[in-house]
Structure formats: C-alpha cells, structure tokens
Amino acid sequence: MTGLTGGKMSSSVPASHISLLDDPEVGSEKVEAATTGGRETAERQRELGGEAEECPVYELYAYLLAADDDEYTKRVYDECVGGERLCGECKGEAADLMHDFLADHQAKREEAEAVLEDLDTDLSSSRR
Ligand code: SF4
C-alpha cells in the first residue's frame, strides 16, 4: 500500500502508516490527516472527480476498511471519480471505520493474550 503521507510507508515516519497497536483515536486521526487524490477545491472535485487510483484513503477502503464488501468499495470509487464524493466526508467515513477496526482488533488481541497466558505461552515482541 501507498503510505498515508504519499510515497512509501516508513516505520520512521509514524504518520505514513497505521500500526495494529495504534490507539484507535490515533489511527482515526492519521486517516483524517492522510494525503488524498482529491482536487484543489470542492468545486473542481465535483467537476472533474477525484483521482481514486492516486489516493491512499481509497486504498484503505479497498484493502481493509470495506472488508469483503466489493460493492461498497466500488461505490466509493464511483462516487469519487464521479465527483459526488468529497474528500472531507470520505476521510471522516474512513476514519470512523479505522477506529472501529482497531478497537475490535485490539479487543480480540486481548482475548487471545488471555488464552495464551492460560497456556503459558509468551508471544511478546518489541515490534509495533
Ligand atoms: S473522495 Fe475519497 S477516495 Fe476520492 S480522492 Fe478523496 S479521499 Fe480519496
């Protein structure tokens, strides 16, 4: 995936990626701050449509946030390139989904850790 700041993801640039261990609020804020494939103004966006192929936020929908719902991904794409979808609301929607994804993932992780603890297995790592 493209990094959230454009270019590559880098572990030395926290804003360029979202860790599965990021606080959900932080993950959500990173999506809100992400680079987009949007036009300079809302008027231009309505006129020309956004550039979904150049947009890290669209990639998030396609690879993660829409889960297996291809229709949802297609709707985001069509609304973007058709000029109906503006980046502010699109990022807000993606930020909410990211928040819920991270909260759910981390809750499941805690459950799994409790199970592993019962099994006396340690999977701790310095990697984030
Ligand atoms: S509307 Fe959404 S998908 Fe389209 S360029 Fe903006 S943020 Fe990206």
Side-chain angles (χ1 to χ4, degrees):
M1 271 194 63
T2 309
L4 294 175
T5 49
K8 290 183 180 173
M9 288 188 189
S10 168
S11 56
S12 61
V13 183
S16 72
H17 69 280
I18 295 171
S19 161
L20 290 172
L21 298 180
D22 273 349
D23 182 277
E25 282 300 320
V26 172
S28 170
E29 284 166 16
K30 285 182 181 178
V31 175
E32 291 276 12
T35 298
T36 72
R39 307 290 177 174
E40 316 79 60
T41 64
E43 193 179 24
R44 293 281 287 166
Q45 180 113 346
R46 288 195 186 94
E47 189 187 333
L48 300 172
E51 295 183 285
E53 287 93 350
E54 307 294 323
C55 180
V57 179
Y58 175 69
E59 285 187 51
L60 279 179
Y61 279 105
Y63 294 138
L64 176 72
L65 301 176
D68 293 331
D69 191 346
D70 293 343
E71 282 300 312
Y72 182 29
T73 308
K74 186 174 182 319
R75 190 168 76 244
V76 170
Y77 182 89
D78 289 345
E79 289 177 359
C80 172
V81 300
E84 296 159 55
R85 177 174 280 260
L86 300 180
C87 296
E89 69 199 44
C90 186
K91 286 204 287 188
E93 192 175 313
D96 288 346
L97 289 169
M98 180 60 77
H99 182 284
D100 292 352
F101 170 80
L102 289 173
D104 183 54
H105 174 80
Q106 289 167 17
K108 286 178 181 161
R109 187 183 172 101
E110 275 178 30
E111 284 171 26
E113 277 174 356
V115 171
L116 291 174
E117 221 169 86
D118 287 347
L119 295 172
D120 200 23
T121 304
D122 181 12
L123 290 184
S124 62
S125 160
S126 58
R127 289 195 64 191
R128 285 191 55 88

PDB file of all heavy atoms in Angstrom, residues 58-74 76 97:
ATOM      1  N   TYR A  58      -8.430   5.754  -0.551  1.00  0.00           N
ATOM      2  CA  TYR A  58      -9.162   4.753  -1.349  1.00  0.00           C
ATOM      3  C   TYR A  58      -8.531   3.367  -1.177  1.00  0.00           C
ATOM      4  O   TYR A  58      -9.234   2.362  -1.053  1.00  0.00           O
ATOM      5  CB  TYR A  58      -9.216   5.148  -2.836  1.00  0.00           C
ATOM      6  CG  TYR A  58      -9.865   4.048  -3.634  1.00  0.00           C
ATOM      7  CD1 TYR A  58     -11.209   3.772  -3.494  1.00  0.00           C
ATOM      8  CD2 TYR A  58      -9.092   3.225  -4.468  1.00  0.00           C
ATOM      9  CE1 TYR A  58     -11.799   2.706  -4.167  1.00  0.00           C
ATOM     10  CE2 TYR A  58      -9.671   2.170  -5.133  1.00  0.00           C
ATOM     11  CZ  TYR A  58     -11.025   1.918  -4.983  1.00  0.00           C
ATOM     12  OH  TYR A  58     -11.595   0.853  -5.635  1.00  0.00           O
ATOM     13  N   GLU A  59      -7.210   3.313  -1.141  1.00  0.00           N
ATOM     14  CA  GLU A  59      -6.533   2.020  -0.931  1.00  0.00           C
ATOM     15  C   GLU A  59      -6.943   1.405   0.405  1.00  0.00           C
ATOM     16  O   GLU A  59      -7.101   0.195   0.513  1.00  0.00           O
ATOM     17  CB  GLU A  59      -5.014   2.192  -0.984  1.00  0.00           C
ATOM     18  CG  GLU A  59      -4.480   2.395  -2.389  1.00  0.00           C
ATOM     19  CD  GLU A  59      -2.958   2.383  -2.418  1.00  0.00           C
ATOM     20  OE1 GLU A  59      -2.355   1.455  -1.876  1.00  0.00           O
ATOM     21  OE2 GLU A  59      -2.383   3.339  -2.964  1.00  0.00           O
ATOM     22  N   LEU A  60      -7.097   2.253   1.413  1.00  0.00           N
ATOM     23  CA  LEU A  60      -7.533   1.729   2.711  1.00  0.00           C
ATOM     24  C   LEU A  60      -8.907   1.073   2.597  1.00  0.00           C
ATOM     25  O   LEU A  60      -9.139  -0.003   3.145  1.00  0.00           O
ATOM     26  CB  LEU A  60      -7.606   2.856   3.749  1.00  0.00           C
ATOM     27  CG  LEU A  60      -6.320   3.292   4.417  1.00  0.00           C
ATOM     28  CD1 LEU A  60      -6.611   4.437   5.383  1.00  0.00           C
ATOM     29  CD2 LEU A  60      -5.680   2.135   5.181  1.00  0.00           C
ATOM     30  N   TYR A  61      -9.819   1.744   1.881  1.00  0.00           N
ATOM     31  CA  TYR A  61     -11.142   1.134   1.677  1.00  0.00           C
ATOM     32  C   TYR A  61     -10.984  -0.203   0.952  1.00  0.00           C
ATOM     33  O   TYR A  61     -11.561  -1.213   1.340  1.00  0.00           O
ATOM     34  CB  TYR A  61     -12.029   2.031   0.816  1.00  0.00           C
ATOM     35  CG  TYR A  61     -12.707   3.177   1.520  1.00  0.00           C
ATOM     36  CD1 TYR A  61     -12.256   4.481   1.365  1.00  0.00           C
ATOM     37  CD2 TYR A  61     -13.828   2.965   2.319  1.00  0.00           C
ATOM     38  CE1 TYR A  61     -12.898   5.550   1.988  1.00  0.00           C
ATOM     39  CE2 TYR A  61     -14.482   4.023   2.945  1.00  0.00           C
ATOM     40  CZ  TYR A  61     -14.009   5.309   2.771  1.00  0.00           C
ATOM     41  OH  TYR A  61     -14.643   6.357   3.393  1.00  0.00           O
ATOM     42  N   ALA A  62     -10.206  -0.184  -0.125  1.00  0.00           N
ATOM     43  CA  ALA A  62     -10.109  -1.366  -0.988  1.00  0.00           C
ATOM     44  C   ALA A  62      -9.442  -2.546  -0.282  1.00  0.00           C
ATOM     45  O   ALA A  62      -9.863  -3.690  -0.448  1.00  0.00           O
ATOM     46  CB  ALA A  62      -9.347  -1.003  -2.270  1.00  0.00           C
ATOM     47  N   TYR A  63      -8.406  -2.277   0.513  1.00  0.00           N
ATOM     48  CA  TYR A  63      -7.635  -3.373   1.119  1.00  0.00           C
ATOM     49  C   TYR A  63      -8.081  -3.756   2.513  1.00  0.00           C
ATOM     50  O   TYR A  63      -7.772  -4.845   2.984  1.00  0.00           O
ATOM     51  CB  TYR A  63      -6.149  -3.006   1.168  1.00  0.00           C
ATOM     52  CG  TYR A  63      -5.498  -2.886  -0.180  1.00  0.00           C
ATOM     53  CD1 TYR A  63      -4.613  -1.858  -0.449  1.00  0.00           C
ATOM     54  CD2 TYR A  63      -5.762  -3.819  -1.185  1.00  0.00           C
ATOM     55  CE1 TYR A  63      -4.004  -1.738  -1.694  1.00  0.00           C
ATOM     56  CE2 TYR A  63      -5.158  -3.705  -2.426  1.00  0.00           C
ATOM     57  CZ  TYR A  63      -4.289  -2.664  -2.676  1.00  0.00           C
ATOM     58  OH  TYR A  63      -3.698  -2.550  -3.899  1.00  0.00           O
ATOM     59  N   LEU A  64      -8.763  -2.847   3.201  1.00  0.00           N
ATOM     60  CA  LEU A  64      -9.061  -3.130   4.602  1.00  0.00           C
ATOM     61  C   LEU A  64     -10.476  -2.750   5.023  1.00  0.00           C
ATOM     62  O   LEU A  64     -11.247  -3.605   5.483  1.00  0.00           O
ATOM     63  CB  LEU A  64      -8.049  -2.382   5.491  1.00  0.00           C
ATOM     64  CG  LEU A  64      -8.282  -2.491   6.986  1.00  0.00           C
ATOM     65  CD1 LEU A  64      -7.939  -3.902   7.475  1.00  0.00           C
ATOM     66  CD2 LEU A  64      -7.447  -1.471   7.745  1.00  0.00           C
ATOM     67  N   LEU A  65     -10.809  -1.486   4.852  1.00  0.00           N
ATOM     68  CA  LEU A  65     -11.994  -0.969   5.532  1.00  0.00           C
ATOM     69  C   LEU A  65     -13.312  -1.500   4.995  1.00  0.00           C
ATOM     70  O   LEU A  65     -14.293  -1.611   5.735  1.00  0.00           O
ATOM     71  CB  LEU A  65     -11.986   0.567   5.489  1.00  0.00           C
ATOM     72  CG  LEU A  65     -10.760   1.225   6.141  1.00  0.00           C
ATOM     73  CD1 LEU A  65     -10.802   2.732   5.956  1.00  0.00           C
ATOM     74  CD2 LEU A  65     -10.692   0.864   7.618  1.00  0.00           C
ATOM     75  N   ALA A  66     -13.360  -1.830   3.730  1.00  0.00           N
ATOM     76  CA  ALA A  66     -14.613  -2.351   3.170  1.00  0.00           C
ATOM     77  C   ALA A  66     -14.742  -3.850   3.417  1.00  0.00           C
ATOM     78  O   ALA A  66     -15.759  -4.455   3.042  1.00  0.00           O
ATOM     79  CB  ALA A  66     -14.688  -2.050   1.674  1.00  0.00           C
ATOM     80  N   ALA A  67     -13.709  -4.434   4.040  1.00  0.00           N
ATOM     81  CA  ALA A  67     -13.675  -5.889   4.295  1.00  0.00           C
ATOM     82  C   ALA A  67     -13.979  -6.628   2.991  1.00  0.00           C
ATOM     83  O   ALA A  67     -13.328  -6.356   1.994  1.00  0.00           O
ATOM     84  CB  ALA A  67     -14.642  -6.243   5.415  1.00  0.00           C
ATOM     85  N   ASP A  68     -14.946  -7.501   2.992  1.00  0.00           N
ATOM     86  CA  ASP A  68     -15.234  -8.282   1.775  1.00  0.00           C
ATOM     87  C   ASP A  68     -16.342  -7.653   0.929  1.00  0.00           C
ATOM     88  O   ASP A  68     -16.823  -8.272  -0.009  1.00  0.00           O
ATOM     89  CB  ASP A  68     -15.654  -9.709   2.158  1.00  0.00           C
ATOM     90  CG  ASP A  68     -14.501 -10.479   2.775  1.00  0.00           C
ATOM     91  OD1 ASP A  68     -13.338 -10.187   2.440  1.00  0.00           O
ATOM     92  OD2 ASP A  68     -14.777 -11.385   3.592  1.00  0.00           O
ATOM     93  N   ASP A  69     -16.727  -6.443   1.275  1.00  0.00           N
ATOM     94  CA  ASP A  69     -17.861  -5.818   0.589  1.00  0.00           C
ATOM     95  C   ASP A  69     -17.383  -5.081  -0.668  1.00  0.00           C
ATOM     96  O   ASP A  69     -17.138  -3.874  -0.660  1.00  0.00           O
ATOM     97  CB  ASP A  69     -18.554  -4.858   1.566  1.00  0.00           C
ATOM     98  CG  ASP A  69     -19.884  -4.357   1.037  1.00  0.00           C
ATOM     99  OD1 ASP A  69     -20.141  -4.524  -0.169  1.00  0.00           O
ATOM    100  OD2 ASP A  69     -20.647  -3.781   1.830  1.00  0.00           O
ATOM    101  N   ASP A  70     -17.272  -5.817  -1.760  1.00  0.00           N
ATOM    102  CA  ASP A  70     -16.789  -5.230  -3.008  1.00  0.00           C
ATOM    103  C   ASP A  70     -17.717  -4.132  -3.531  1.00  0.00           C
ATOM    104  O   ASP A  70     -17.272  -3.194  -4.191  1.00  0.00           O
ATOM    105  CB  ASP A  70     -16.626  -6.317  -4.083  1.00  0.00           C
ATOM    106  CG  ASP A  70     -15.505  -7.285  -3.735  1.00  0.00           C
ATOM    107  OD1 ASP A  70     -14.660  -6.944  -2.876  1.00  0.00           O
ATOM    108  OD2 ASP A  70     -15.473  -8.384  -4.323  1.00  0.00           O
ATOM    109  N   GLU A  71     -19.004  -4.277  -3.250  1.00  0.00           N
ATOM    110  CA  GLU A  71     -19.971  -3.266  -3.706  1.00  0.00           C
ATOM    111  C   GLU A  71     -19.684  -1.915  -3.039  1.00  0.00           C
ATOM    112  O   GLU A  71     -19.806  -0.871  -3.666  1.00  0.00           O
ATOM    113  CB  GLU A  71     -21.397  -3.708  -3.353  1.00  0.00           C
ATOM    114  CG  GLU A  71     -21.950  -4.767  -4.288  1.00  0.00           C
ATOM    115  CD  GLU A  71     -21.993  -4.281  -5.731  1.00  0.00           C
ATOM    116  OE1 GLU A  71     -22.472  -3.162  -5.980  1.00  0.00           O
ATOM    117  OE2 GLU A  71     -21.501  -5.025  -6.610  1.00  0.00           O
ATOM    118  N   TYR A  72     -19.323  -1.995  -1.764  1.00  0.00           N
ATOM    119  CA  TYR A  72     -19.008  -0.769  -1.025  1.00  0.00           C
ATOM    120  C   TYR A  72     -17.763  -0.110  -1.629  1.00  0.00           C
ATOM    121  O   TYR A  72     -17.740   1.089  -1.894  1.00  0.00           O
ATOM    122  CB  TYR A  72     -18.803  -1.114   0.452  1.00  0.00           C
ATOM    123  CG  TYR A  72     -18.512   0.048   1.370  1.00  0.00           C
ATOM    124  CD1 TYR A  72     -18.987   1.328   1.127  1.00  0.00           C
ATOM    125  CD2 TYR A  72     -17.747  -0.150   2.523  1.00  0.00           C
ATOM    126  CE1 TYR A  72     -18.717   2.376   1.983  1.00  0.00           C
ATOM    127  CE2 TYR A  72     -17.471   0.888   3.395  1.00  0.00           C
ATOM    128  CZ  TYR A  72     -17.951   2.153   3.116  1.00  0.00           C
ATOM    129  OH  TYR A  72     -17.672   3.187   3.977  1.00  0.00           O
ATOM    130  N   THR A  73     -16.730  -0.919  -1.867  1.00  0.00           N
ATOM    131  CA  THR A  73     -15.501  -0.386  -2.472  1.00  0.00           C
ATOM    132  C   THR A  73     -15.815   0.262  -3.818  1.00  0.00           C
ATOM    133  O   THR A  73     -15.334   1.351  -4.130  1.00  0.00           O
ATOM    134  CB  THR A  73     -14.470  -1.515  -2.688  1.00  0.00           C
ATOM    135  OG1 THR A  73     -14.290  -2.211  -1.469  1.00  0.00           O
ATOM    136  CG2 THR A  73     -13.135  -0.966  -3.142  1.00  0.00           C
ATOM    137  N   LYS A  74     -16.632  -0.406  -4.603  1.00  0.00           N
ATOM    138  CA  LYS A  74     -16.978   0.113  -5.939  1.00  0.00           C
ATOM    139  C   LYS A  74     -17.768   1.422  -5.814  1.00  0.00           C
ATOM    140  O   LYS A  74     -17.570   2.348  -6.591  1.00  0.00           O
ATOM    141  CB  LYS A  74     -17.791  -0.933  -6.701  1.00  0.00           C
ATOM    142  CG  LYS A  74     -18.064  -0.557  -8.140  1.00  0.00           C
ATOM    143  CD  LYS A  74     -18.748  -1.672  -8.885  1.00  0.00           C
ATOM    144  CE  LYS A  74     -18.996  -1.323 -10.358  1.00  0.00           C
ATOM    145  NZ  LYS A  74     -19.441   0.024 -10.622  1.00  0.00           N
ATOM    146  N   VAL A  76     -17.548   3.605  -3.370  1.00  0.00           N
ATOM    147  CA  VAL A  76     -16.601   4.679  -3.007  1.00  0.00           C
ATOM    148  C   VAL A  76     -15.875   5.147  -4.267  1.00  0.00           C
ATOM    149  O   VAL A  76     -15.755   6.355  -4.523  1.00  0.00           O
ATOM    150  CB  VAL A  76     -15.580   4.181  -1.946  1.00  0.00           C
ATOM    151  CG1 VAL A  76     -14.454   5.195  -1.747  1.00  0.00           C
ATOM    152  CG2 VAL A  76     -16.282   3.898  -0.612  1.00  0.00           C
ATOM    153  N   LEU A  97     -14.342   4.069  10.346  1.00  0.00           N
ATOM    154  CA  LEU A  97     -14.158   2.627  10.113  1.00  0.00           C
ATOM    155  C   LEU A  97     -12.826   2.151  10.682  1.00  0.00           C
ATOM    156  O   LEU A  97     -12.733   1.064  11.253  1.00  0.00           O
ATOM    157  CB  LEU A  97     -14.227   2.327   8.608  1.00  0.00           C
ATOM    158  CG  LEU A  97     -15.618   2.457   7.978  1.00  0.00           C
ATOM    159  CD1 LEU A  97     -15.508   2.402   6.458  1.00  0.00           C
ATOM    160  CD2 LEU A  97     -16.549   1.354   8.484  1.00  0.00           C
TER     161      LEU A  97
END
